[in-house]
Amino acid sequence: MARCFTDKGALRATLAAAGLPSPAWRLVDAERGLLAAAAGVGLPLVVKPIDNQSGQGVRIVREAAALADAYANALAHSRARRVLLEALLPGREFIVDSLAIEGRHTVLAIAAKLPY
């Protein structure tokens, strides 16, 4: 479970295995697979390191010409040297931080943000 919260690729795979909805996505660990992965997701898309947080290394790509630079940026922010491409969903992103202890859940914070 901890891996799903620290590895965005593992999280996406877990959601898919459970049949839960998720935006189109592909994992990339070498630049040679970048164009095929992007074609599988479609533009616009989000390029992000699988193992970072707070938006570090994340870019929105609207044109194929910006893809290689966004990939290099995300890769530079990934300790695992893997990058996630995912479809850009319109609207606000909601982040919910919570804590669970002995089956009791407490919401610590809720944030809403618009993609830059």
Side-chain angles (χ1 to χ4, degrees):
M1 183 60 66
R3 185 168 175 250
C4 287
F5 287 104
T6 58
D7 179 325
K8 294 172 183 70
L11 173 63
R12 291 287 176 225
T14 299
L15 292 173
L20 296 171
S22 184
W25 60 277
R26 299 289 188 281
L27 286 177
V28 182
D29 58 9
E31 191 170 356
R32 69 181 176 278
L34 184 59
L35 291 177
V41 172
L43 293 174
L45 55 81
V46 181
V47 180
K48 58 177 73 172
I50 65 158
D51 55 351
N52 215 321
Q53 59 186 2
S54 302
Q56 296 176 40
V58 177
R59 290 202 184 154
I60 294 173
V61 173
R62 299 182 190 284
E63 299 174 1
L67 192 57
D69 187 52
Y71 173 77
N73 179 58
L75 198 62
H77 286 86
S78 174
R79 293 174 306 283
R81 308 294 292 166
R82 295 174 70 208
V83 172
L84 177 71
L85 307 184
E86 63 184 16
L88 176 64
L89 300 178
R92 290 183 182 257
E93 175 182 355
F94 289 91
I95 302 165
V96 180
D97 291 327
S98 61
L99 180 65
I101 300 175
E102 297 180 359
R104 297 182 68 173
H105 300 271
T106 302
V107 173
L108 303 174
I110 299 174
K113 64 181 185 177
L114 291 171
Y116 59 91

